Amino acid sequence: MLGALLRAGFGITEDASRADVIIVNTCAFIEDAKREAIDAILEMARFKSEGKARLLVVAGCLPQRYEEEIEDLFPEVDIFVGAGEFHRIADILVAWEGRRSIHVARPEFLYDHGSPRIQATPPHTAYIKIAEGCFHPCSFCIIPSIRGGFRSREPQSVVEEGRQLIARGVRELNLIAQDTTGYGRGKGSDIASLVEGLAGISGEKWIRIMYAYPHDFPMRLIDVMRDHRDVCRYLDIPIQHISDRILKSMRRKGDAAEIRGLILRLRAEIPEIALRTSLIVGYPGETEAEFEELCAFVREARFEHLGAFAFSPEEGTAAAKLKGRVPADVAEERRRLIMELQQRVAREKNAALVGKRMKVLVEGLSEESEHLIQARHEGQAPDIDGVVYINEGNPKVGEFAEVEITDSHDYDLVGRVL
């Protein structure tokens, strides 16, 4: 949206009090995200009276999901733009004639390497969306009805975007989609070949794969990750649960044996790999025994990174209609217990890294202290995992450096530049 607006001649400011037009881009995946979006809309609405704003626009998944009622819910909003119409944002603003309007259609648009783009991340790291939508029928998830059916970008377009980003100084390409390992399905391409193409771009870089669905995992991707040093020894595999009964109720493809087999193979083929996963606790009908089974698996699998979420019953999903709802306080307690288990695992894994030499991507001064520089090794994704604090040396921001790990904490490491 920023790229389209800039190309159309709009100026951009991060100061809401100075803006003529304020755009709130929303998520509507779970209840917490909706609350955050609503709070942001109400906060920005005050600038129509306190600032110079003439237009308040709400974009993204909230209007896409609640097209029928959203006008009545937010009388202070002038324009609503759905998740499939964001590329038209500049045209919509230019054509506005003073009447409230909704622009929501079936999401079909896929951006490509020629689409205008402003990089909103730090200069050294960027996200590349390789596909949009989803074809999985997970019972708890509203994404397919918001984002549409799964559709992959052309591989040459993704590689060209990667080349453009590397040329302007990006050192880390984070590949994202609702399901990255489903990339190219039905189109004669696949994620392994795509990653090979990106690895072939000249220049020092990291390529990181997020959101890899565990069922029907493309095993050739393991070979590509092992054989290309530009590809991070890192994989994010959201498994959600390990109980076969819960997985079946969630409408997840595959079972616990497949998940365990994939993790064992990844560990065997790439011993230094860092694995991340996400889990849902408190799913309707989850028994104490099934929760204990999940806890035992967390101890067994020893993920480097893990996020746990208490089940959120989302209207419009099959899971929201299930009986046997786990009380919210019980679900939250289970989430807390899972994260305590993971904290111990992470602490032990980090302690084992003390004394090792690691390549890191330098990010700049730490938010914790102006006396520390913050970096990440390849096993740490931006924003969601831990970091490496550098307390000796003065490496160049946005570039790679070699450090020796001198200390460890639950989620973060400390090192010195070699």
Side-chain angles (χ1 to χ4, degrees):
M1 284 194 287
L2 289 173
L5 290 165
L6 194 67
R7 187 169 68 176
F10 286 84
I12 295 171
T13 176
E14 294 184 12
D15 183 352
S17 67
R18 298 182 60 234
D20 300 297
V21 179
I22 296 176
I23 301 175
V24 181
N25 194 29
T26 62
C27 177
F29 178 45
I30 57 175
E31 191 62 35
D32 285 348
K34 287 186 285 185
R35 278 199 296 268
E36 184 179 352
I38 292 167
D39 289 345
I41 293 167
L42 297 177
E43 180 186 355
M44 291 299 107
R46 67 185 176 87
F47 289 103
K48 292 180 73 176
S49 57
E50 297 177 12
K52 56 182 290 193
R54 295 187 295 116
L55 277 179
L56 178 59
V57 181
V58 171
C61 290
L62 205 64
Q64 189 74 34
R65 184 172 180 182
Y66 299 105
E67 177 187 3
E68 300 298 325
E69 58 262 56
I70 199 160
E71 267 193 298
D72 295 333
L73 291 173
F74 299 103
E76 52 274 87
V77 176
D78 303 290
I79 301 174
F80 299 91
V81 180
E85 298 289 282
F86 68 89
H87 59 292
R88 295 182 52 239
I89 185 68
D91 294 337
I92 290 170
L93 293 185
V94 169
W96 190 67
E97 296 179 340
R99 292 189 299 273
R100 299 183 77 204
S101 57
I102 298 182
H103 304 268
V104 175
R106 177 188 172 92
E108 295 179 345
F109 176 75
L110 264 178
Y111 88 93
D112 62 25
H113 63 282
S115 302
R117 175 177 179 177
I118 291 178
Q119 193 178 323
T121 52
H124 54 270
T125 185
Y127 294 91
I128 298 181
K129 185 161 247 191
I130 63 174
E132 183 59 273
C134 191
F135 49 62
H136 297 297
C138 302
S139 66
F140 54 83
C141 185
I142 199 71
I143 283 177
S145 64
I146 297 178
R147 309 297 291 195
F150 190 83
R151 50 210 189 275
S152 301
R153 289 175 58 187
E154 294 297 329
Q156 59 269 30
S157 173
V158 177
V159 173
E160 179 55 33
E161 184 182 9
R163 187 175 289 112
Q164 292 172 5
L165 290 166
I166 296 295
R168 66 174 185 241
V170 171
R171 293 291 173 264
E172 179 181 41
L173 305 175
N174 300 284
L175 307 186
I176 58 171
Q178 273 75 39
D179 171 11
T180 52
T181 41
Y183 172 82
R185 196 165 298 176
K187 295 188 67 173
S189 53
D190 60 70
I191 184 66
S193 299
L194 178 68
V195 172
E196 278 184 318
L198 289 165
I201 300 171
S202 61
E204 192 176 15
K205 60 190 173 298
W206 279 345
I207 300 164
R208 186 183 305 280
I209 303 165
M210 309 296 295
Y211 314 128
Y213 196 83
H215 179 63
D216 278 346
F217 186 89
M219 293 302 175
R220 195 171 80 82
L221 181 59
I222 299 177
D223 299 332
V224 173
M225 294 177 69
R226 184 190 60 231
D227 298 340
H228 290 272
R229 210 52 202 93
D230 283 353
V231 183
C232 291
R233 269 63 171 163
Y234 179 101
L235 198 61
D236 170 36
I237 317 174
I239 65 167
Q240 313 306 353
H241 215 283
I242 201 61
S243 158
D244 281 338
R245 190 192 72 80
I246 295 289
L247 288 170
K248 185 175 181 180
S249 180
M250 286 180 168
R251 300 181 182 175
R252 298 282 287 180
K253 299 169 186 173
D255 56 18
E258 184 178 20
I259 291 169
R260 282 189 167 92
L262 175 59
I263 292 170
L264 287 172
R265 181 161 178 181
L266 285 164
R267 298 278 195 207
E269 297 275 349
I270 313 172
E272 67 273 32
I273 195 168
L275 297 178
R276 159 172 276 280
T277 198
S278 56
L279 304 173
I280 295 174
V281 297
Y283 185 83
E286 182 188 56
T287 64
E288 282 291 341
E290 287 164 333
F291 174 66
E292 285 302 322
E293 182 182 358
L294 186 61
C295 291
F297 176 71
V298 169
R299 297 187 196 97
E300 164 200 331
R302 292 180 62 79
F303 290 98
E304 279 70 19
H305 310 287
L306 181 151
F309 303 87
F311 171 74
S312 174
E314 295 300 316
E315 67 266 39
T317 64
K321 302 173 185 175
L322 291 176
K323 297 178 181 178
R325 183 78 54 83
V326 175
D329 59 335
V330 174
E332 179 55 31
E333 176 64 8
R334 290 178 181 179
R335 189 200 67 80
R336 187 187 66 78
L337 290 170
I338 285 283
M339 292 312 299
E340 283 185 0
L341 283 176
Q342 177 58 27
Q343 187 176 28
R344 289 197 286 273
V345 171
R347 184 187 307 133
E348 292 168 4
K349 284 190 168 275
N350 276 349
L353 296 175
V354 174
K356 294 189 178 297
R357 296 184 172 200
M358 310 187 83
K359 179 180 178 179
V360 298
L361 181 58
V362 182
E363 299 198 290
L365 289 178
S366 165
E367 295 179 1
E368 300 294 321
S369 168
E370 61 182 18
H371 303 295
L372 295 173
I373 293 173
Q374 183 171 304
R376 289 180 289 107
H377 64 73
E378 65 179 316
Q380 296 170 321
D383 299 324
I384 55 173
D385 299 330
V387 298
V388 178
Y389 293 115
I390 297 173
N391 60 5
E392 284 188 52
N394 189 26
K396 187 176 179 182
V397 174
E399 297 295 340
F400 293 107
E402 187 179 11
V403 301
E404 179 186 10
I405 302 302
T406 58
D407 197 6
S408 67
H409 301 283
D410 288 349
Y411 298 112
D412 303 317
L413 297 165
V414 180
R416 65 181 184 91
V417 175
L418 294 172

